[in-house]
Amino acid sequence: MRICVFGAGAIGGLMAARLAAAQSAEVTIIARGPHLAAMQERGLRLISDGAETVVHPRCVATAGEAGPQDAVIVTLKAHALPSAAAQMQPLLGPETAVVSAVNGIPWWYFHGIGGAHEGRRVESVDPGGEVSRLLPPERAIGCIVYPAAEVVEPGVIAHGYGDRFTLGEPSGVRTPRIEAVAASLIAAGFKAPIRPRIRDEIWVKLWGNLAFNPISALTSSTLDALTGDPGQRGVARDMMLEAQAIGEALGVRFAIDVDKRIAGAAEVGAHRTSMLQDLERGRPMEIEALLGVILEFAGLTGLPAPTCRVVLALVRARARAAGCL
C-alpha cells in the first residue's frame, strides 16, 4: 500500500517511522525546511521506550515529487488545511483515501451523517468550502490521534506515550479501504480499531481539548495545575457541559461523564497543551477547530454556550496580541 504522510511533524513522523520500520507500507513523507533536510541526509530517527530506530523512507518537499497514493495521512494543524489542500492535489488518484488525523471537528463532519444536516459545511474549519472542493468528503477517513510525540530536533521524533489511532468512515461502514489502512497501522505496532460511530470518539477527545487548550493558553497552566485549581477546573467543566449538550443535540453519545473525562486529563500530569506550546513558540493556535466550532454548532442547534463564548473571545484576543492567529 502506498501511504503518504503529509505534514510529518511529531505525530506524522511517529506514524511514518513505524510504518517504514515494519515495511507495512510504501511510505513517502512530505515535509519542509531543516526537518526535511535532516531526514533526507540522516534518515528519520524515532526514540520510543528508551530505544532508537532509524528508517529511511522517501522524503520529499512537494506532492508532485510523490505522485498518486493509495492513502494520504494528514497530520497538519487544522488551520493549515485550507492552504495545504491545494498542495495535496498531485497525491490524489481516483481512489485515494484521505486519512484525517487532525484535531477538532473535521471538514467532512456532516458527510454521511444522514438527517437534516447531511452535507452541511463546517465554516469554522472549511471557510468558503475550499477544503471540501479540493478534498471531497467522500475521500475522507476519520482518525483520532491518542499518542503524544514531539520533534526534539530536525529529523528526530520522541514518542511520549500512546499507540492508538482509532479509525472510522463518515458513514460508519466498514470498507475495504479502511481495513487496508488499519492493517498497515496494526502491522506497524499501533492499535487501529475501526469504529462505526467515529463522531462519538471525535467529541470525547474534543471535549477536553475545547476547554483545557484555551484555558491553558490564558493561564499558562499545565494540565495537572489546571485540573487541580478549583477556578480553572470549574470553568473547564462548565464549557464541557455546554459542549456536551450541543453534541448530544447533534446525535453524539458520550460514553463517559464529564468528571471522568477531567480526571483522565489530570492523570496526564504536568503536560503543556498544544495550544499553550503554540502560543509560547509564536505559532498559530488551533482555536477555531477546537472551540470556534462549538459556537458555530451552538447556533445550529439553538443552544446557549455562554462560558464557551467568553473563553473563545478571550483566547482569540490573546492570540491576536501574541501574533498567533
Side-chain angles (χ1 to χ4, degrees):
M1 189 177 194
R2 295 167 299 167
I3 295 180
C4 176
V5 179
F6 191 96
I11 294 299
L14 167 65
M15 298 176 83
R18 288 273 183 88
L19 287 165
Q23 298 183 350
S24 61
E26 181 184 320
V27 180
T28 300
I29 293 173
I30 296 181
R32 60 185 182 182
H35 189 48
L36 171 62
M39 290 189 291
Q40 289 176 327
E41 182 180 347
R42 300 186 294 274
L44 172 59
R45 180 179 163 206
L46 174 65
I47 303 169
S48 180
D49 293 328
E52 296 187 11
T53 302
V54 179
V55 293
H56 297 270
R58 186 183 183 201
C59 300
V60 298
T62 68
E65 297 172 76
Q69 305 289 310
D70 296 312
V72 180
I73 300 176
V74 182
T75 55
L76 300 167
K77 294 291 182 72
H79 50 256
L81 193 54
S83 60
Q87 302 170 33
M88 294 169 57
Q89 296 306 295
L91 303 172
L92 306 180
E95 304 297 326
T96 304
V98 177
V99 181
S100 169
V102 181
N103 275 335
I105 295 292
W107 81 96
W108 51 262
Y109 187 84
F110 289 115
H111 172 71
I113 199 171
H117 300 306
E118 173 64 39
R120 180 182 290 272
R121 187 174 76 246
V122 184
E123 187 67 26
S124 298
V125 295
D126 186 12
E130 188 69 358
V131 178
S132 294
R133 185 180 70 80
L134 294 169
L135 303 177
E138 54 267 24
R139 289 191 181 273
I141 291 175
C143 178
I144 320 285
V145 175
Y146 290 99
E150 184 178 357
V151 179
V152 292
E153 63 180 85
V156 182
I157 309 296
H159 174 214
Y161 61 85
D163 61 359
R164 179 161 56 105
F165 293 92
T166 300
L167 302 172
E169 291 277 5
S171 66
V173 175
R174 193 180 182 101
T175 59
R177 68 177 191 171
I178 200 170
E179 289 180 341
V181 172
S184 293
L185 291 173
I186 290 167
F190 295 115
K191 295 182 178 72
I194 299 171
R195 302 297 190 213
R197 293 180 56 88
I198 192 66
R199 292 172 186 82
D200 292 354
E201 294 213 24
I202 287 173
W203 273 85
V204 170
K205 184 172 184 187
L206 173 66
W207 208 13
N209 282 342
L210 69 89
F212 303 139
N213 269 271
I215 293 173
S216 71
L218 293 171
T219 65
S220 298
S221 294
T222 54
L223 273 181
D224 58 341
L226 191 161
T227 55
D229 175 71
Q232 294 182 71
R233 184 188 182 103
V235 172
R237 190 175 190 276
D238 288 346
M239 294 174 71
M240 293 168 74
L241 289 174
E242 291 172 3
Q244 181 178 359
I246 292 166
E248 288 174 343
L250 292 171
V252 175
R253 301 173 190 165
F254 288 79
I256 60 174
D257 66 29
V258 66
D259 293 309
K260 186 172 182 180
R261 179 67 178 85
I262 293 172
E267 290 174 2
V268 175
H271 173 70
R272 289 157 50 251
T273 70
S274 60
M275 197 177 285
L276 176 58
Q277 292 182 49
D278 286 339
L279 177 66
E280 292 173 343
R281 295 170 183 172
R283 299 193 296 217
M285 295 153 62
E286 283 184 299
I287 295 172
E288 303 310 320
L290 299 185
L291 185 52
V293 71
I294 300 300
L295 274 296
E296 181 177 345
F297 286 2
L300 183 61
T301 59
L303 290 171
T307 313
C308 288
R309 191 175 301 278
V310 169
V311 173
L312 176 60
L314 291 173
V315 78
R316 280 174 173 165
R318 181 73 181 89
R320 191 176 302 110
C324 295
L325 281 178

